[in-house]
Amino acid sequence: MRLFRSQSSAYRFFGLTFSTLFAALAISFTAAAQTLPTHISFDPETHIFRIDSADSSYIFGVNESEQLQALYWGKRLADSDRFSPAKSMPEVASFDAPSTTTQQEYIGWGGVLYVEPSLKITFPDGNRDLRLKYLSNHIDGNHLSIQMKDISREIYVTLNYDADGETGILRRSAEIENRTGGPVSIEEVSAATWNLPRGTDYRLRYLTGRWAGENTVQEQPLNPGKTVLESRRGTTGAQNAPWFAIDHRNENDSEHGDVWFGALGWSGSWQITIEQDVLQQVRVNGGPNSFDFAYHLAKGAKFQTPYFYGGYSDQGVGGASRLLHRYELDSILPQAPKPKVRPVLYNSWEATGFDVTETGQMALAEKAASIGVERFVIDDGWFGQRKTDHAGLGDWYVNPQKFPNGLKPLIDKVHSLGMDFGIWVEPEMVNPDSDLYRKHPDWVLNFDGRPRTERRNQLVLNLARPDVRAYVYGFLDKLLNENQIAFLKWDYNRNWSEPGWPAVPVDEQKNVYVDFIRNYYSILAELREKHPGVEIESCSGGGARVDLGVMHLTDEVWPSDNTDAFDRLLIQNGFTYAYTPGVMMAWVTDSPTWVNNRTLSLQYRFLSSMQGSLGIGANLNKWTPEDFDTAKKMVAQYKGIRETVQHGSLYRIITPEHDSQQSVTESVARDGHEAVVFAFLHSSRENYPYPRIHLHGLNPTARYRITSLDGKLADDTPETASGAWLENRGVDVDLKGDFQAMSFHLERLP
């Protein structure tokens, strides 16, 4: 075959303005510990590519039409197993040619294609036919790159595969290069296409939500047709999370069975399509959302897609979650492969709202320090003429009436109490009632001559503009240079509207969907490089900007503005399907909350929040001495277990899904030396006892000391027991009543 030739020259990974970001991510990926062998090979006789990593194998080949054809994705095969050369599916009818029915790794829209394409391009002459053929490949350790090209036009596509030896997760992306004589328009582009083994009994899991109700787990059978998960909101959005998991419908044990899962690392408008074709084959595409999308790719330019991560587990959706958690901790987070534990923080928002003063914040800082808080965060209201949410956004100077001597006296006070200092910002937004907007009304997303829709009394700055990008980076850099700030809570409190960019030519205006996010990433990356000691939280009116793209550049995320401790059990449960508890901020706030007017004990609220990264947001000015005593005890208790909670292996023993009356989680330390269990009860019924808790992830022959941390274990609970006993016989707890909670600890004995 004439297109099979020697491997290409050294692989060039990234292009355009994403280069710094992606290079940093590549470094963190390489740094991840690899405890299991990874092997990538290409058989020149059969033209088969094989990626064996951890407990999975991923195999595809070049077929007789010089297309890349998927062959296998699942549990790791024996080294001696061989595959026959790839061969296109036979034609079943004139309506569905082999190009539609053959499972392809990456396919352009052209010829006879009726499934979702991986790439769609319009050329200046109106041609929209794109047919990609295999050219060459290059293997470098755990990295594989494959170059493809259109049959006649100078459009090149490089597919990139990186395999993680510890989890088997593949990180995939595509680079589109325009070597034609003029610009082209990319109208749809996937980072990767995933093909599952042929089957008819698949079930899809995904996450849906809204403000104050994020991360609800949904399940549905996969039937012929297409399911689209997406955000059209400019950023990630809470409506769907960019994550999926697919298993078999008859496998209902969360710890057993085959699961294929994936997560898209993109913080802009995105889409994931899950499609079962006419032969009941399942394919998954993911990338920037194609709605209202057209990226103007100039002559000689390259377009680098985001990453689309995919993995396989034979240990159910629980095993899939743990693989993702491990991968995020070891390869995604800024401090990977050894992220620090998240400090216990206090945020002053619920205590003061916009009524921020130097003396008031100092008084709260003293109270926070008394219970063991390690980070004090001042929220909205410290800057500009910010007295309500109607004014001040965009004017990032310290309000002289509230802080006559700047922030230094407050920061010095916080430091003297043994805490570091954090501050709230909302850099991408502007109030029309601000000096910035009066000076630069053209800086917001807008269409000429059309209304500018305000939400929360604010508009969205067009961060795709170089001058806006320079302004945002400049004031953040100045704020950090002039103050000893250890933490930024970066908020984002509305979605896009009127996504216009009238300052650039018409054929470039839709580039705003990509260039905005690229500039957002580049600001985060540049701030981290210049201020390496500063940590950042991604917040968007709750959990509306959480994805593996932003997680590489931020240290923690805010899952929801809903801090009702009972509601949070469900929100946090869904969150952990896709994201590690190590980044999941969970606050103890006042009760009853504004959400449900439900009254919950302080102990219950703490135990709910202690399943993630603990924060406190209550109004400490209203606490009783007994509240402070309880909080001090539980903060100290959390510090003793947080390494295991944040970085250990999570098991959902009983989920709060489907209106369950109980919820139980277990976190096992990475080295297995301890485990901690949290148990919650909504309401007792008819004098039934709490279900017995059967633990997971323990060494069956080791012995463990069992200690109640909060609440009561059953009277017949032994002081020590084997892992086998704890998993098979199980532990009984004494929980009765309404909204009760307890926790207990397992320590492995020498």
Side-chain angles (χ1 to χ4, degrees):
M1 298 173 63
R2 61 180 177 82
L3 290 182
F4 289 110
R5 57 190 191 223
S6 60
Q7 294 178 350
S8 64
S9 59
Y11 165 63
R12 186 181 177 196
F13 199 77
F14 306 117
L16 296 174
T17 56
F18 253 171
S19 58
T20 301
L21 167 67
F22 279 120
L25 184 49
I27 291 170
S28 72
F29 187 98
T30 303
Q34 298 192 358
T35 57
L36 293 173
T38 295
H39 185 245
I40 300 178
S41 64
F42 174 68
D43 186 330
E45 294 184 4
T46 60
H47 307 132
I48 299 294
F49 293 94
R50 177 165 173 167
I51 303 174
D52 295 305
S53 186
D55 199 32
S56 67
S57 293
Y58 189 91
I59 300 169
F60 59 97
V62 183
N63 65 25
E64 78 287 350
S65 299
E66 298 175 7
Q67 301 163 331
L68 295 177
Q69 182 175 341
L71 297 175
Y72 177 81
W73 183 24
K75 191 169 180 62
R76 187 163 184 156
L77 303 177
D79 293 344
S80 58
D81 290 328
R82 295 289 182 266
F83 279 74
S84 299
K87 185 178 181 181
S88 299
M89 294 292 292
E91 181 171 293
V92 294
S94 62
F95 296 98
D96 295 296
S99 54
T100 283
T101 57
T102 298
Q103 293 185 301
Q104 296 192 46
E105 280 290 286
Y106 204 86
I107 186 169
W109 186 76
V112 184
L113 184 73
Y114 303 122
V115 294
E116 193 76 18
S118 308
L119 179 64
K120 183 177 185 292
I121 286 178
T122 293
F123 294 91
D125 62 0
N127 173 63
R128 302 187 304 282
D129 186 68
L130 182 70
R131 306 193 196 193
L132 299 174
K133 303 291 186 180
Y134 169 83
L135 276 184
S136 60
N137 73 84
H138 180 72
I139 298 171
D140 183 9
N142 292 354
H143 172 77
L144 166 66
S145 65
I146 297 176
Q147 191 171 70
M148 306 176 74
K149 180 189 175 298
D150 180 66
I151 56 175
S152 63
R153 303 206 177 196
E154 295 296 299
I155 295 293
Y156 292 80
V157 176
T158 301
L159 306 182
N160 303 302
Y161 301 75
D162 288 274
D164 178 47
E166 186 169 348
T167 64
I169 287 175
L170 291 178
R171 183 186 69 187
R172 293 182 57 187
S173 65
E175 181 184 78
I176 294 85
E177 182 177 2
N178 176 17
R179 299 185 195 173
T180 71
V184 300
S185 180
I186 300 175
E187 297 179 349
E188 184 168 358
V189 58
S190 290
T193 298
W194 303 95
N195 293 277
L196 272 66
R198 189 178 302 121
T200 60
D201 64 340
Y202 282 126
R203 167 178 53 188
L204 170 67
R205 281 189 175 93
Y206 57 102
L207 300 172
T208 64
R210 56 173 175 77
W211 179 74
E214 296 87 343
N215 297 310
T216 300
V217 181
Q218 305 290 351
E219 299 179 7
Q220 68 181 48
L222 275 181
N223 295 314
K226 183 167 62 176
T227 298
V228 180
L229 311 177
E230 66 173 355
S231 169
R232 298 184 178 188
R233 300 168 179 264
T235 54
T236 316
Q239 179 179 347
N240 291 135
W243 168 89
F244 73 91
I246 298 173
D247 64 355
H248 296 287
R249 291 198 296 268
N250 60 349
E251 294 173 344
N252 293 314
D253 185 331
S254 66
E255 295 301 319
H256 298 89
D258 297 323
V259 179
W260 295 264
F261 60 92
L264 184 64
W266 181 239
S267 305
S269 292
W270 60 272
Q271 67 182 18
I272 294 176
T273 63
I274 302 96
E275 184 174 16
Q276 189 177 78
D277 67 16
V278 295
L279 297 184
Q280 298 182 319
Q281 300 169 132
V282 176
R283 51 190 278 117
V284 181
N285 277 284
N289 200 315
S290 60
F291 175 79
D292 194 42
F293 181 83
Y295 194 87
H296 178 88
L297 191 64
K299 171 186 175 181
K302 298 179 181 180
F303 181 93
Q304 173 67 57
T305 72
Y307 288 129
F308 198 2
Y309 305 85
Y312 162 82
S313 171
D314 65 350
Q315 298 179 32
V317 71
S321 295
R322 288 189 291 277
L323 289 177
L324 260 179
H325 298 171
R326 181 64 55 87
Y327 182 79
E328 291 159 2
L329 292 167
D330 290 356
S331 302
I332 295 287
L333 294 178
Q335 299 168 3
K338 295 183 179 180
K340 295 185 293 187
V341 293
R342 308 307 308 141
V344 179
L345 67 76
Y346 177 77
N347 183 288
S348 64
W349 171 251
E350 291 203 3
T352 60
F354 296 104
D355 188 18
V356 174
T357 64
E358 181 179 289
T359 55
Q361 295 295 304
M362 286 183 176
L364 284 169
E366 290 178 349
K367 293 180 175 68
S370 73
I371 59 175
V373 166
E374 299 158 309
R375 171 170 291 164
F376 182 85
V377 182
I378 180 175
D379 209 278
D380 200 349
W382 60 269
F383 58 92
Q385 297 304 308
R386 189 71 164 171
K387 299 171 185 175
T388 68
D389 64 7
H390 287 71
L393 273 179
D395 300 337
W396 296 100
Y397 60 86
V398 179
N399 184 288
Q401 289 76 43
K402 298 179 179 183
F403 297 93
N405 299 301
L407 294 173
K408 188 176 188 305
L410 173 59
I411 294 173
D412 288 345
K413 175 68 171 180
V414 168
H415 289 167
S416 74
L417 294 167
M419 301 181 291
D420 66 30
F421 179 78
I423 199 164
W424 179 95
V425 291
E426 193 172 3
E428 299 146 279
M429 301 292 165
V430 63
N431 288 125
D433 185 4
S434 67
D435 295 338
L436 179 68
Y437 187 76
R438 285 184 281 270
K439 185 177 180 181
H440 297 290
D442 56 324
W443 277 14
V444 300
L445 294 173
N446 75 95
F447 292 121
D448 276 342
R450 305 298 297 173
R452 300 185 178 191
T453 305
E454 296 179 29
R455 302 299 299 163
R456 201 175 179 257
N457 310 300
Q458 61 196 52
L459 298 169
V460 182
L461 290 171
N462 183 0
L463 201 60
R465 292 177 57 121
D467 47 6
V468 174
R469 193 264 183 213
Y471 174 76
V472 170
Y473 174 78
F475 82 71
L476 289 169
D477 181 51
K478 183 174 185 289
L479 180 66
L480 296 175
N481 281 330
E482 295 178 353
N483 301 279
Q484 289 182 278
I485 294 172
F487 173 79
L488 291 176
K489 183 178 176 70
W490 185 310
D491 210 343
Y492 181 93
N493 279 308
R494 61 156 294 180
N495 297 130
W496 289 18
S497 59
E498 298 89 41
W501 188 1
V504 299
V506 171
D507 59 356
E508 298 179 22
Q509 290 183 7
K510 290 183 180 180
N511 285 23
V512 68
Y513 286 105
V514 171
D515 292 352
F516 184 110
I517 304 304
R518 287 180 171 176
N519 279 348
Y520 167 63
Y521 283 163
S522 71
I523 290 171
L524 289 171
E526 192 171 349
L527 287 174
R528 299 200 72 95
E529 182 177 2
K530 187 172 181 182
H531 306 278
V534 175
E535 297 179 349
I536 304 172
E537 175 181 290
S538 174
C539 174
S540 179
R545 187 151 66 183
V546 181
D547 58 80
L548 267 61
V550 76
M551 277 175 58
H552 175 58
L553 294 163
T554 57
D555 302 270
E556 62 189 46
V557 297
W558 182 235
S560 179
D561 283 347
N562 182 349
T563 58
D564 178 277
F566 176 71
D567 281 0
R568 265 301 186 105
L569 297 180
L570 195 62
I571 293 169
Q572 293 172 179
N573 170 77
F575 179 96
T576 62
Y577 274 74
Y579 309 113
T580 171
V583 302
M584 182 177 70
M585 293 307 300
W587 289 3
V588 177
T589 57
D590 288 324
S591 183
T593 65
W594 57 270
V595 185
N596 300 308
N597 201 32
R598 176 188 292 121
T599 299
L600 301 169
S601 71
L602 187 57
Q603 175 179 294
Y604 186 103
R605 285 176 273 153
F606 261 99
L607 290 175
S608 175
S609 296
M610 286 164 62
Q611 295 174 100
S613 296
L614 178 63
I616 298 164
N619 186 352
L620 302 182
N621 295 321
K622 296 182 178 180
W623 273 17
T624 66
E626 292 76 20
D627 290 335
F628 281 98
D629 288 342
T630 297
K632 185 174 183 179
K633 169 198 154 193
M634 300 201 78
V635 167
Q637 180 178 294
Y638 177 74
K639 290 178 181 178
I641 60 173
R642 65 177 161 186
E643 172 71 39
T644 293
V645 169
Q646 294 180 22
H647 299 160
S649 297
L650 175 68
Y651 294 86
R652 303 179 198 90
I653 308 298
I654 304 176
T655 77
E657 301 165 39
H658 312 298
D659 295 322
S660 171
Q661 293 294 304
Q662 302 88 23
S663 175
V664 180
T665 63
E666 176 195 10
S667 298
V668 181
R670 184 174 287 203
D671 66 2
H673 80 279
E674 70 172 358
V676 59
V677 179
F678 297 93
F680 300 86
L681 172 66
H682 179 278
S683 298
S684 299
R685 290 184 177 178
E686 298 175 332
N687 201 33
Y688 285 110
Y690 197 85
R692 182 165 289 169
I693 299 172
H694 295 273
L695 304 181
H696 293 287
L698 305 178
N699 183 334
T701 62
R703 295 201 67 79
Y704 295 84
R705 178 177 290 112
I706 310 168
T707 306
S708 174
L709 298 177
D710 299 280
K712 190 174 182 298
L713 294 164
D715 292 338
D716 61 352
T717 305
E719 291 184 5
T720 68
S722 69
W725 190 93
L726 293 164
E727 292 192 2
N728 295 298
R729 190 276 180 185
V731 177
D732 290 317
V733 299
D734 186 8
L735 280 179
K736 287 187 177 181
D738 298 328
F739 299 111
Q740 299 297 307
M742 68 90 63
S743 63
F744 62 92
H745 180 260
L746 305 174
E747 177 190 5
R748 189 178 63 196
L749 300 176

